[in-house]
Amino acid sequence: YLSEMQSDQTLHMYSGHPMGLFPSSEDAPRVVVTNGMMIPNYSKPDDWEKFNALGVTQYGQMTAGSFMYIGPQGIVHGTTITVMNAFRKVLNKGESPQGKIFLTAGLGGMSGAQPKAGNIANCITVCAEVNPKAAIKRHQQGWVDELIDNMDALIARVKTAQANAEVVSIAYIGNVVEVWESFYQHDIFVHLGSDQTSLHNPWSGGYYPVGMSYEDANRLIREQPELFKEKVQATLKRHAEAVNKHTAKGTYFFDYGNAFLLESSRAGGDVMAANGIDFKYPSYVQDILGPMCFDYGFGPFRWVCASGKPEDLDKTDAIAAEVLKRIMAESPEEIQQQMQDNISWILDAKQNKMVVGSQARILYADAQGRMEIAKAFNDAIKRGEIGPVVLGRDHHDVSGTDSPYRETSNIYDGSRFTADMAIHNVIGDSFRGATWVSIHNGGGVGWGEVINGGFGMLLDGSEQAERRLKSMLLFDVNNGIARRSWARNEEAHFAIKREMARTPKLKVTLANRVDDEVIQNLPW
């Protein structure tokens, strides 16, 4: 269908099934993708197993389900921004992360980005992985510096790295619970702690029980799945207990949106706050990416050079850096740090060897940055300096995803369990010029826990492309800022007022704020 379709047809995809080409118009999206759209009462994890087995639905994994997967580059960038800002939260101003420990777990397709991000953030990264093949593969690829499979050797190596203030990433082949416990016993202070095992899939190999080999655990999954589940939940409780001991000494622990706290709570782990509703540890969105990036409109803007030429990617890198530097010179103080972080990222992107497959790039930008970078690309295409460029973004963004335990976890007005934002995002993008749009149930945190919306947009140097990019990118970002502002997020309130001043036809309903004292003194 993609090879046969004309510019006035749209391909409709139902959970992997191409329903067919339908007449539309040149302004309509060329492709509309849905994955796992379920009636709400039939959207539990067990339902997925049933309906996927029947062949009537599938798990649409975020960007891959939107024809926009760019390899691990996206998660490297997001993790780098997260780790850098986490260290800023715990270190004194001007203090370097060198010689400070970031302890985490997971070296899979996405979590494998953590050691490379730690190197870029200039810290000691210790990342545990129970699957030896995954750890060895990451080492061979150059994504982690050293491999260690012995706890005594790990303790000695980490103490040396601390003493020498090294920047190094270490993969420990084993269970991360053992690392947390051993570091506590040997009085090794952990500045940052997190976890990026696949706990959205805890019973089928996303997380492994402590005290068992990888092979034995996989055998248990096949032969005694209920016993495997019991051992996983016991390990989660032990994991939480070990983390609690470190945080009592000053470690900053954050949930990386992989459902660690959610599954730990379900297992009976000590992770709940005193109110019995919230978790005692924040998610990285609540503490870092939400208030520091998403609420201001900064999120993972990405592009792919359709020519496949590395020299085109080099030129787009240079164009993006030039645009960001110009914008930064006139930016308010509130977003100076975000601008500088992304200028530094794009200047170093090539030497960090991020490209896998497609000639693609990612950086965090707000609506102004995305629109101006896109226009500069379109102008360069028109002049014949580069080939066509496809724009996109990660769903892990300002507007595209409604995910109460990750992307929208810093929404506190009660609406974080709604999915209006993601649905409006896809519908709004579709008639504002997107080349394709997609909406998924699941992705990252699991089926039934999130709705993800995505888009793709082709830049071909035409006037129509310029018109579309201005209309669609403005909405794609500000839809989310408006929702976050309505939830009383101060940074989003600042950002949407700034955008309305810049865009006269944008009129957003602003929240009326009431002092807590007035609420507390009401005659209930």
Side-chain angles (χ1 to χ4, degrees):
Y1 285 138
L2 290 171
S3 65
E4 297 170 358
M5 69 191 308
Q6 299 178 17
S7 59
D8 58 354
Q9 291 176 301
T10 295
L11 170 62
H12 289 261
M13 297 279 293
Y14 281 38
S15 288
H17 170 61
M19 191 61 72
L21 293 173
F22 291 78
S24 57
S25 72
E26 292 191 0
D27 288 331
R30 297 282 66 80
V31 185
V32 176
V33 178
T34 61
N35 282 306
M37 290 292 101
M38 303 298 293
I39 305 302
N41 280 348
Y42 304 91
S43 193
K44 303 290 191 299
D46 285 348
D47 293 322
W48 179 81
E49 300 287 354
K50 174 182 177 180
F51 291 107
N52 183 62
L54 289 171
V56 296
T57 193
Q58 70 176 22
Y59 188 68
Q61 181 68 295
M62 298 187 91
T63 48
S66 296
F67 304 162
M68 194 61 185
Y69 186 59
I70 64 168
Q73 181 180 174
I75 191 65
V76 172
H77 180 264
T79 306
T80 299
I81 295 293
T82 299
V83 173
M84 286 196 306
N85 281 306
F87 272 117
R88 287 174 183 142
K89 290 179 72 69
V90 301
L91 299 181
N92 296 321
K93 191 171 184 179
E95 187 179 358
S96 171
Q98 286 184 231
K100 315 295 194 304
I101 294 174
F102 169 45
L103 172 57
T104 185
L107 285 171
M110 300 300 280
S111 56
Q114 293 179 107
K116 181 176 275 286
N119 282 1
I120 298 171
N122 293 318
C123 65
I124 300 168
T125 305
V126 178
C127 191
E129 171 56 61
V130 296
N131 182 354
K133 288 183 179 179
I136 292 168
K137 180 180 179 181
R138 288 301 181 194
H139 184 247
Q140 291 172 340
Q141 291 173 331
W143 289 70
V144 63
D145 298 327
E146 300 177 17
L147 280 177
I148 295 178
D149 61 3
N150 177 279
M151 185 59 71
D152 290 339
L154 178 66
I155 297 295
R157 180 66 185 93
V158 167
K159 286 185 175 181
T160 299
Q162 283 183 306
N164 296 331
E166 291 184 49
V167 174
V168 63
S169 55
I170 303 166
Y172 173 71
I173 302 176
N175 198 295
V176 71
V177 176
E178 297 167 343
V179 182
W180 280 107
E181 292 174 343
S182 295
F183 278 19
Y184 185 80
Q185 291 165 6
H186 289 84
D187 200 29
I188 294 177
F189 183 71
V190 177
H191 277 79
L192 302 184
S194 192
D195 189 88
Q196 214 178 111
T197 51
S198 298
L199 269 162
H200 64 279
N201 182 27
W203 322 128
S204 300
Y207 184 91
Y208 281 80
V210 69
M212 296 187 72
S213 71
Y214 181 66
E215 293 76 15
D216 287 345
N218 283 331
R219 191 176 304 114
L220 203 63
I221 293 174
R222 293 192 303 271
E223 298 175 0
Q224 295 177 278
E226 287 303 316
L227 180 59
F228 179 83
K229 181 176 180 179
E230 289 176 18
K231 287 184 175 295
V232 163
Q233 291 193 314
T235 299
L236 282 166
K237 289 178 69 174
R238 187 169 153 184
H239 193 160
E241 182 182 354
V243 168
N244 290 341
K245 288 180 178 179
H246 281 268
T247 57
K249 294 171 62 176
T251 295
Y252 173 61
F253 183 86
F254 57 92
D255 186 291
Y256 213 132
N258 67 331
F260 170 73
L261 293 177
L262 180 63
E263 290 301 334
S264 294
S265 69
R266 290 170 175 170
D270 181 14
V271 295
M272 300 307 296
N275 62 13
I277 299 171
D278 301 315
F279 296 124
K280 65 167 64 176
Y281 302 115
S283 81
Y284 72 118
V285 172
Q286 286 176 292
D287 249 20
I288 302 168
L289 288 190
M292 294 182 176
C293 295
F294 294 168
D295 285 353
Y296 283 119
F298 283 82
F301 177 55
R302 52 176 62 172
W303 62 90
V304 178
C305 295
S307 67
K309 296 178 180 178
E311 56 266 34
D312 277 10
L313 185 60
D314 292 343
K315 291 174 184 175
T316 59
D317 283 348
I319 290 169
E322 182 181 344
V323 170
L324 290 179
K325 288 177 182 177
R326 175 169 48 77
I327 294 174
M328 183 178 173
E330 300 175 354
S331 294
E333 183 180 350
E334 286 86 346
I335 62 172
Q336 286 285 315
Q337 187 67 66
Q338 292 91 325
M339 297 295 298
Q340 185 56 60
D341 283 348
N342 283 284
I343 290 170
S344 298
W345 166 268
I346 200 71
L347 292 175
D348 293 340
K350 187 174 183 179
Q351 72 183 47
N352 287 326
K353 298 179 180 177
M354 296 284 102
V355 172
V356 177
S358 302
Q359 295 297 316
R361 187 66 74 221
I362 185 172
L363 57 78
Y364 272 34
D366 61 4
Q368 180 186 9
R370 298 182 203 203
M371 291 162 64
E372 294 196 21
I373 290 171
K375 183 182 182 305
F377 288 170
N378 201 53
D379 290 344
I381 297 166
K382 186 177 182 179
R383 293 191 297 267
E385 296 171 8
I386 57 175
V389 172
V390 177
L391 304 180
R393 57 157 167 74
D394 192 14
H395 294 358
H396 178 255
D397 197 5
V398 182
S399 302
T401 295
D402 280 302
S403 181
Y405 297 107
R406 192 159 74 172
E407 284 81 357
T408 44
S409 60
N410 71 316
I411 301 291
Y412 301 109
D413 67 344
S415 69
R416 67 178 184 162
F417 295 99
T418 67
D420 297 276
M421 179 175 69
I423 300 299
H424 275 270
N425 206 250
V426 168
I427 295 172
D429 285 355
S430 70
F431 63 77
R432 287 181 172 87
T435 307
W436 71 84
V437 291
S438 58
I439 190 80
H440 317 298
N441 173 11
V445 295
W447 174 277
E449 300 286 356
V450 55
I451 298 295
N452 289 296
F455 78 84
M457 172 175 274
L458 174 68
L459 301 181
D460 59 5
S462 66
E463 291 182 7
Q464 293 93 326
E466 181 174 337
R467 172 177 56 81
R468 289 169 180 166
L469 74 87
K470 289 178 179 177
S471 176
M472 200 216 74
L473 293 175
L474 178 76
F475 171 77
D476 188 71
V477 176
N478 283 289
N479 170 51
I481 301 176
R483 184 266 177 94
R484 293 167 183 276
S485 173
W486 182 246
R488 281 62 165 181
N489 291 17
E490 291 184 10
E491 296 84 359
H493 190 74
F494 165 86
I496 202 66
K497 287 179 67 177
R498 180 167 174 254
E499 189 60 70
M500 283 194 286
R502 191 165 50 216
T503 308
K505 289 193 175 182
L506 177 64
K507 306 290 182 183
V508 171
T509 307
L510 298 176
N512 293 312
R513 297 168 183 269
V514 180
D515 290 338
D516 289 344
E517 187 177 337
V518 173
I519 298 292
Q520 291 164 2
N521 291 329
L522 285 173
W524 296 105

